[in-house]
Amino acid sequence: MLMLGPIGFAAPWVLTALIALPVLWVILRALPPAPRQVAFPGVALLRGLLDRVPVARRTPWWLLLLRLAAVAAMILAFAGPSWKPAAPGNQTGPLLVVLDAGWSAAPDWPARVTRAEAALTDAAAQGRPAALLLADGHPAPGALPFAPADTLLAGLRAAQPVSWSTGLPEDPGATLAAVPEGQLSTLWISDGLDHPNRAAWLAALADLGPVSVVPPARALRSLSLHAGDTPSLTLSATDESAPAIMAIGPDPQGVERELARLTPGDAATADGISTRPTAIDLPPELRNRITRFQVEGEAHAGAVVLADDRVKRRKVGLVGEADRQAEGQQLLSQLHYLRRALTPTTDLVEGGLGDVLNTAPDVIVLADQVDLAEAGDLAGWVDDGGLLIRFAGPRMAAFEDLQDEPLIPVALRQGGRDIGGALSWGDPRGIAPFAADGVFAGLTPPEDVAIRAQLMAQPAPELAERTLAALSDNTPLVTRARMGQGQVVLFHVTANAEWSNLPISGLFVDMLNRLVQTARVSMAEEQADDRDQPFWTPETVLDGFGRASPAEGLAPVAAADLTLGPGPDRPAGIYVAGERQVALNAGGPLVLAQWPGATVEAAGTATGRDLRGPLLALAALLLALDALGSAVIARGGRVAAAMVLAVMILPAPQAQAQAQTQPQVQAQDVNPELARAANEVALAYVVTGDDRVDNASREGLRGLSMVLAQRTSVEPGQPVAIDLDQDDLSVLTFLYWPITDTQASPSPQAYVRLNHFLRSGGMILFDTRDGDVTGVGGPDMSQALQALAAPLEVPPLSPVPDDHVLTRSFYLLADFPGRWQGNPVWLEAPPAGAQAAEGVPFRQLNDGVSPVVIGGNSWAEAWAVDENGYPTFPIGGGWEGEMQREMAFRFGVNLIMYVLTGNYKSDQVHVPALLDRMRTEEMLGP
């Protein structure tokens, strides 16, 4: 690399082309500009005369200077200049690049890879051997091999951050055993955090040579979950900012979106790390739908907390006798013990059975209740997926028709079992250990828990498989049976201390919480889990950028290993075992790293900024000025005003340089999907700000694109979302614009782009989506459409005539239904007073294509399909609804063919009439 002051050139040999600039000046100076042709009859008198001293008119010096400056700018750009590049090392020894690859490295991963690639490229140019150590927690297979630096670039570019913390090999000496001779130079691209074994590695590397540390370029934020009676979140950050925390989950339509936002609390700062507690203060119905919490603006696994059973809060209904008023009598009530056990982790509703059913609970607990009047309604609730937990008691034991009592998991004997009865025990019984694959797996029954009485079950073949817990003599203590989509659980003892001391133990609370967590778990889900061994099976895993995907090729994880947190063989994600699920989350407390003895670059230092972009932009600007200058010379002062206007419109070089110094802002202003839309003829839709409408637009255009690819030669790509205030519309052909009564009007610049889009051949399909209520022209959507379209250059409109080309561009159609039908569709009207001769259509602008089509049939919802190709929204009923959906797809195909082919289809339909008119015009003459 050649250094000229603060500027370095990666290909300095290209600068030798600057020697040709003087020669180019002489050549351009000698060439005259293009001659002008002037119509003057008197020139014929001068034919044959010769100029004895011919003098060529020379190109103006300022125009030559523009051209040479443009060529010089391109030569400099091709030489690979960069501002203040990283100083090339003069070492001849080996190079080691240590790249932290945990989740904390994901926020600026591309910049990290670029820095490592530059270091390896320089080492390859100097012929130095190099090695790449990815600190991703995987154990080292042996000594780290050193090889030519350019052979490591492919592996570096393929590397990705992982969803667990950065980890280094355990033994630095064994890993560095194969270091070649010479002083080792180490470039450590750090994530800024302290990790196990990092200090030992730093000391070992410092003994072998200089260590340079590249700190992270941006602040790091982590989100962690604190489970307990009241689960909460903790936001940890290396700065003082407090972004919102998004609660994400499916809405009532099943679409994954943001459901709520949580605001972090006050910060507590220690050792450079600020922590903010965040309460999960949400209604139970909303809280139970949440699948993940994520820090706004962060895209890494540490900023994501997956929701599991610890976050969900069930609604539990308690039905039983009211507590007795006397304070000493309250301990005799079964509801008192149930209330104390369930209040910290659930939302309780108490009352009669009918009142409790009206609240739509997840779980209902009956304390010694039999012969209920609402038994039929209760059975229907259980069949729909409810969890019914019943407790025995004196009333149930004395009930004469106990064998006919509905909603009992097993057949019971009347009278129960008690000391002094026919089946009296010598001593109270303890609880047998729980099954390793059952609901109570992992719980340990205390030795001091004793059962003095119980309700006995009749022997039956299915009794063993329905027993969740048993006494030491194998008699059932807790039984369960599936009924429809729900389940019924029976404790064969009371919920108070009358028959046992179980309700006053901590085991009672744990058993109830385990049962409540199984609410709304279907039999299919239960049977799908691996319950043959005490392992947790991964279901959904995260990558280092926090993106979720199904777990494939991962082995089950032992329960003991799961407590260690995410790692190489257990990535962050959701793990299931039996009827329970638990989340392994990557985020946690942050500890800043210290680097004694190493050279640490200043955070955010811009090194190696590429100058090729600004130089090429400057060359393009100079060539544009050259073209304008040539036009001035060729046509005189008539284009001077145009040149001045163009110079005022074109961005100044200073503005371009400023844009290059702030690449992140420029990247945010450009929609990267627009280039793909131009290449793939992708259909586009306007983002309204309403998530439900925008999702319907995306799914609708996806469905229409699939139909076009199946039935026509048009193969559109995935739909593109358009922000009218930011995106350029010049590469688009078709734009779907759903109307809502809450969307804001675009900016004036957006309307300028929209009008240019309409004038240059584009079409906008305005969909008011109110065809089911009022049709186009309704009081709400009509006013919203008028307000949005007022600044647009919309031509006069009329309903689509029966013989319009839109009715026959691909299919023959008589109506244009969507999710709704029977409403008029409007497009550009023919010119006032014009008549079409013999069926020949009117010749309009844009190749005969109407710039706007307006209707209210909600076409996107009719076209909408999910990722598997199944319809998202219902239409009508039965066969008629599917026929309406098919006609909606045919209208969409006709519309796109109409947009893409223009008056070609119209000409084909009216070929005979067009030929007759051409013959008539030839006979009449001009």
Side-chain angles (χ1 to χ4, degrees), residues 385-614:
L387 169 61
L388 175 62
I389 302 177
R390 306 188 66 167
F391 282 86
R395 181 180 301 173
M396 184 177 291
F399 186 51
E400 295 181 355
D401 298 329
L402 184 59
Q403 294 183 351
D404 299 329
E405 173 70 13
L407 299 176
I408 295 293
V410 294
L412 299 174
R413 292 181 181 179
Q414 184 179 359
R417 181 184 186 189
D418 196 357
I419 296 177
L423 299 177
S424 62
W425 301 343
D427 294 312
R429 301 293 184 180
I431 301 177
F434 298 120
D437 59 351
V439 177
F440 305 131
L443 300 181
T444 302
E447 295 181 357
D448 57 348
V449 172
I451 310 299
R452 299 185 301 273
Q454 70 175 136
L455 205 59
M456 293 294 293
Q458 293 282 6
E462 69 276 4
L463 181 59
E465 66 180 23
R466 294 186 179 183
T467 300
L468 299 181
L471 302 184
S472 57
D473 60 356
N474 291 328
T475 56
L477 174 64
V478 182
T479 55
R480 180 182 65 174
R482 291 282 183 177
M483 295 186 180
Q485 297 298 320
Q487 50 184 329
V488 177
V489 177
L490 174 63
F491 279 76
H492 291 241
V493 295
T494 59
N496 58 11
E498 184 177 357
W499 287 12
S500 69
N501 61 352
L502 174 63
I504 62 176
S505 67
L507 178 63
F508 185 70
V509 178
D510 294 336
M511 294 175 69
L512 284 177
N513 287 332
R514 288 285 185 89
L515 288 172
V516 170
Q517 290 175 5
T518 65
R520 305 296 178 183
V521 176
S522 66
M523 184 181 299
E525 293 173 333
E526 179 183 355
Q527 294 176 349
D529 296 325
D530 182 10
R531 303 182 59 184
D532 294 332
Q533 49 187 349
F535 285 89
W536 293 81
T537 303
E539 185 177 64
T540 302
V541 295
L542 299 180
D543 63 5
F545 298 104
R547 298 172 299 199
S549 61
E552 297 179 356
L554 295 177
V557 179
D561 295 338
L562 205 65
T563 60
L564 302 177
D569 55 349
R570 50 186 187 283
I574 295 291
Y575 292 75
V576 298
E579 301 172 30
R580 295 188 295 148
Q581 66 174 6
V582 67
L584 271 188
N585 293 309
L590 304 180
V591 179
L592 295 179
Q594 302 297 326
W595 302 96
T599 302
V600 182
E601 295 182 359
T605 301
T607 58
R609 188 173 301 280
D610 195 353
L611 298 180
R612 286 176 293 185

Side-chain angles (χ1 to χ4, degrees), residues 803 830 833-843 910 917:
D803 60 345
Q835 295 181 355
E838 299 182 3
V840 179
F842 297 105
R843 291 291 182 178
H910 302 288
R917 190 173 70 176

Side-chain angles (χ1 to χ4, degrees), residues 823-847:
N823 302 287
V825 177
W826 302 73
L827 45 64
E828 182 180 4
Q835 295 181 355
E838 299 182 3
V840 179
F842 297 105
R843 291 291 182 178
Q844 302 166 333
L845 297 176
N846 300 339
D847 203 18

Side-chain angles (χ1 to χ4, degrees), residues 36 57 628-641 643:
R36 291 184 296 168
R57 184 180 177 184
L628 292 174
S630 300
V632 171
I633 295 176
R635 300 185 179 180
R638 291 178 297 175
V639 297
M643 181 186 71

Side-chain angles (χ1 to χ4, degrees), residues 268-406:
T269 303
D271 299 329
I273 302 297
S274 64
T275 57
R276 297 175 183 268
T278 305
I280 307 177
D281 188 12
L282 299 172
E285 295 81 2
L286 181 63
R287 181 172 175 175
N288 293 339
R289 292 210 310 267
I290 294 174
T291 59
R292 60 192 281 161
F293 297 93
Q294 184 167 354
V295 181
E296 185 178 21
E298 298 292 328
H300 57 85
V304 176
V305 166
L306 298 175
D308 55 12
D309 295 334
R310 298 170 294 175
V311 176
K312 296 180 181 179
R313 194 174 180 91
R314 308 289 189 179
K315 181 186 291 186
V316 179
L318 294 182
V319 180
E321 293 185 357
D323 293 347
R324 303 181 183 181
Q325 297 299 324
E327 183 176 355
Q329 300 280 328
Q330 290 181 358
L331 298 179
L332 301 178
S333 172
Q334 299 195 45
L335 293 184
H336 172 76
Y337 296 90
L338 293 171
R339 189 183 302 114
R340 294 291 299 271
L342 294 172
T343 296
T345 57
T346 63
D347 296 316
L348 293 182
V349 179
E350 296 188 38
L353 181 56
D355 297 332
V356 169
L357 284 172
N358 291 334
T359 63
D362 299 301
V363 183
I364 293 179
V365 181
L366 298 181
D368 195 16
Q369 300 291 306
V370 293
D371 197 19
L372 298 170
E374 299 88 350
D377 297 335
L378 182 60
W381 173 82
V382 172
D383 188 69
D384 291 337
L387 169 61
L388 175 62
I389 302 177
R390 306 188 66 167
F391 282 86
R395 181 180 301 173
M396 184 177 291
F399 186 51
E400 295 181 355
D401 298 329
L402 184 59
Q403 294 183 351
D404 299 329
E405 173 70 13

